[in-house]
Amino acid sequence: MTLPALNLVNLPLNHQDRPVPTEIAADARYLIRAEVDADILCRLLNQFALQGHVPAEVEASRREDWLDIALRVNTLPRYRAEVIAQRMRGMVSVCSVDLHVQGAEAVLSAT
């Protein structure tokens, strides 16, 4: 029994499948408020590790049942910084994420 030959099909790219244009790395600052959770810092930092980025600065302070976390990454394109912020906002323990990107006029925020 022989297998039929495989043919490649050229499908047009959907808007979501198009490659993201290359952007210059920018300085992204995240201000995060999260519930106190033993692994929240690991989960937040993992978002950068998965993309091969290491934060330049990380600061966390506990105030009762909340953690206030400040992260700065100076190697992220704006698009990638926004994607990471959205992923962080989707985490169960995260209350809010404010993203400041150098050169941006507005603060990208969600609660």
Side-chain angles (χ1 to χ4, degrees):
M1 177 177 193
T2 59
L3 296 173
L6 296 175
N7 294 322
L8 292 177
V9 178
N10 289 327
L11 298 174
L13 292 175
N14 292 343
H15 177 68
Q16 296 173 345
D17 296 334
R18 291 183 185 152
V20 177
T22 304
E23 294 185 65
I24 297 172
D27 187 51
R29 296 175 187 269
Y30 296 84
L31 299 175
I32 304 156
R33 175 159 256 205
E35 295 175 6
V36 172
D37 191 355
D39 69 340
I40 189 64
L41 284 172
C42 293
R43 289 189 289 134
L44 291 168
L45 292 173
N46 192 45
Q47 296 300 313
F48 300 103
L50 290 171
Q51 302 296 321
H53 297 282
V54 177
E57 294 177 22
V58 178
E59 183 180 330
S61 59
R62 180 177 177 170
R63 294 194 179 108
E64 296 179 16
D65 294 336
W66 297 102
L67 277 177
D68 291 323
I69 304 157
L71 294 166
R72 186 175 67 82
V73 182
N74 55 7
T75 58
L76 282 178
R78 180 186 178 94
Y79 171 80
R80 182 59 50 203
E82 292 172 3
V83 168
I84 291 173
Q86 281 298 93
R87 289 181 181 163
M88 289 177 175
R89 290 178 186 118
M91 293 180 182
V92 175
S93 308
V94 174
C95 176
S96 67
V97 177
D98 292 338
L99 171 62
H100 303 262
V101 180
Q102 181 180 7
E105 293 178 10
V107 174
L108 305 171
S109 177
T111 309

